[in-house]
Amino acid sequence: MTLKKLALGLTLGAAIVGAASSAFADTKILKFAHDNKTDPFENPAHACTAVFANIVEADTNGSIKVEVYPSNQLGSAAEHVQFIQDNVVQATLTSTGAISSYYPRIDVLNLAFAFDHNAATYEVFDGPFGTALAADIEATIPNSKVLGFPDTGGFFAITNSKRPIENLEDFEGIRVRTMTLPSHQKIIQAMGGEAYPLSWGEVYSGLQTGVIDGQMNPVPIISFANFSEVQDYMTLTNHLFSPYTFMMSKSFWDSLSEDEQRVVNYAAESCVTASRGLSRIIEASDRGLAGLMDKIEVTALSAEAREEFKAAAQPAVLKHVEEELGDEGVALLNQFKDAVEGANNSTYLAD
């Protein structure tokens, strides 16, 4: 090999290495943290993040690399919200409980027995109210960008180890685990139960040891958390719908090109859709309600009992918002009530 050819080879090699290094340096890393397991077919959170990551990496030609950290690998759900502000993680799905210490007005979503059906929740959170809520969160939590409100698993049910719950009298004295949300505690107390705030990681052992008698969560969460192993009864109260808030670091968002932002927005919408679809599939399959009915005694509230529970629970939430969340909270609650009423009244049928 001549010196000239050797020099040319070295030059080309250096150019290739330089190009690869430059491409690597230009790749934006998006750390996405959430608190559920890694199977996208088991829970809506990971289904959401899996769909998001696939679309973002494919449609940006790898200019954004998404690293998903499930099962609280990077800290608790509440810490994820702080990490968003610090740009330590760039995206998270945060529960209403986790976000509440940073944004107390999230509690207006916990107006018990508000929604009549799942489709109404989509209309509310995809419509003007969802836009207003996102803007209020962004104005309150520094460096936050809200990209949607994915499904955590649908409406809440209540499980317990004491007895079937068909009316308010049956609920009397049952100790129920709640998030740290004040409204959740007010709801349980108003219905005659004992509210017992407990972190998510302690719920199964608390049920197993009898520290708590019961808990409330969407059916898919009750299923994949294996609560039927330590609970005997479940009541389909459908009293709450509590979505995730899909949050992104605003500084990371601002670092993206317009094309990258377009892809991230589309991927976030697809993430929300995936979370809803998987929630409905799990509910209808043997991994959800059908499977639980073989392991636990299931009761559906009658229309009369639902009205009785609603009459007990709703005033407690309204009073809490008025006393603790001020005029801004009351205004947001009124927006929420108007949006829910309109969505509940929609027939979704063509003329």
Side-chain angles (χ1 to χ4, degrees):
M1 178 181 291
T2 66
L3 289 176
K4 184 176 181 180
K5 288 182 178 179
L6 177 61
L8 178 60
L10 291 173
T11 300
L12 288 172
I16 291 169
V17 171
S21 299
S22 176
F24 180 78
D26 290 343
T27 299
K28 301 177 177 74
I29 304 299
L30 193 166
K31 295 185 177 69
F32 198 148
H34 68 82
D35 62 358
N36 274 306
K37 297 179 182 179
T38 57
D39 185 350
F41 299 104
E42 184 176 74
N43 67 82
H46 204 68
C48 179
T49 55
V51 168
F52 176 84
N54 180 68
I55 292 174
V56 167
E57 292 192 352
D59 286 11
T60 63
N61 258 339
S63 71
I64 302 175
K65 178 176 173 54
V66 181
E67 298 177 353
V68 179
Y69 295 89
S71 303
N72 284 342
Q73 291 178 16
L74 301 182
S76 69
E79 287 174 321
H80 294 162
V81 181
Q82 183 60 53
F83 292 161
I84 288 290
Q85 297 175 67
D86 300 334
N87 199 31
V88 173
V89 301
Q90 288 68 53
T92 190
L93 300 179
T94 179
S95 67
T96 52
I99 199 175
S100 63
S101 58
Y102 303 91
Y103 179 68
R105 286 190 292 279
I106 199 72
D107 236 357
V108 305
L109 304 186
N110 293 308
L111 184 65
F113 300 94
F115 289 103
D116 289 346
H117 46 76
N118 274 306
T121 69
Y122 308 158
E123 184 172 332
V124 168
F125 289 104
D126 292 346
F129 173 78
T131 301
L133 178 62
D136 199 35
I137 292 171
E138 292 171 356
T140 305
I141 299 179
N143 197 42
S144 66
K145 170 79 176 172
V146 176
L147 295 177
F149 299 96
D151 199 330
T152 56
F155 288 120
F156 276 46
I158 295 175
T159 66
N160 83 97
S161 57
K162 294 293 187 184
R163 54 186 172 268
I165 296 173
E166 298 180 357
N167 51 55
L168 284 177
E169 288 72 24
D170 294 332
F171 204 61
E172 190 70 32
I174 292 179
R175 180 177 289 184
V176 178
R177 178 264 176 180
T178 69
M179 298 182 196
T180 55
L181 284 163
S183 60
H184 282 198
Q185 297 162 48
K186 302 284 186 185
I187 289 167
I188 294 300
Q189 292 163 354
M191 296 190 302
E194 296 179 16
Y196 196 94
L198 198 63
S199 67
W200 173 245
E202 299 176 272
V203 178
Y204 187 95
S205 62
L207 295 169
Q208 189 175 40
T209 59
V211 171
I212 47 177
D213 302 318
Q215 61 80 50
M216 57 182 190
N217 263 300
V219 167
I221 293 178
I222 293 169
S223 179
F224 75 66
N226 296 318
F227 288 151
S228 60
E229 296 175 350
V230 288
Q231 298 278 265
D232 299 311
Y233 309 100
M234 180 168 73
T235 304
L236 303 177
T237 50
N238 294 347
H239 62 294
L240 289 173
F241 178 83
S242 185
Y244 289 118
T245 298
F246 186 159
M247 297 180 66
M248 177 168 281
S249 160
K250 179 68 162 54
S251 56
F252 180 80
W253 170 264
D254 289 341
S255 75
L256 303 178
S257 68
E258 287 187 14
D259 283 345
E260 288 170 334
Q261 288 179 351
R262 176 186 56 78
V263 170
V264 167
N265 254 331
Y266 166 67
E269 291 173 1
S270 299
C271 161
V272 172
T273 300
S275 73
R276 292 170 178 172
L278 186 66
S279 295
R280 303 294 80 76
I281 290 169
I282 292 176
E283 284 174 340
S285 74
D286 58 6
R287 301 180 72 185
L289 184 57
L292 285 172
M293 291 177 77
D294 293 332
K295 305 172 185 176
I296 192 169
E297 185 176 329
V298 178
T299 301
L301 285 183
S302 67
E304 293 77 16
R306 178 179 167 82
E307 287 303 314
E308 183 184 26
F309 275 78
K310 180 177 179 179
Q314 273 203 4
V317 178
L318 295 172
K319 183 179 180 182
H320 162 67
V321 171
E322 291 170 358
E323 292 179 350
E324 302 297 331
L325 300 182
D327 292 342
E328 290 179 316
V330 171
L332 189 64
L333 176 62
N334 288 334
Q335 278 184 274
F336 180 60
K337 287 166 63 179
D338 289 344
V340 169
E341 182 179 1
N344 283 340
N345 291 334
S346 294
T347 62
Y348 301 97
L349 296 175
D351 292 336

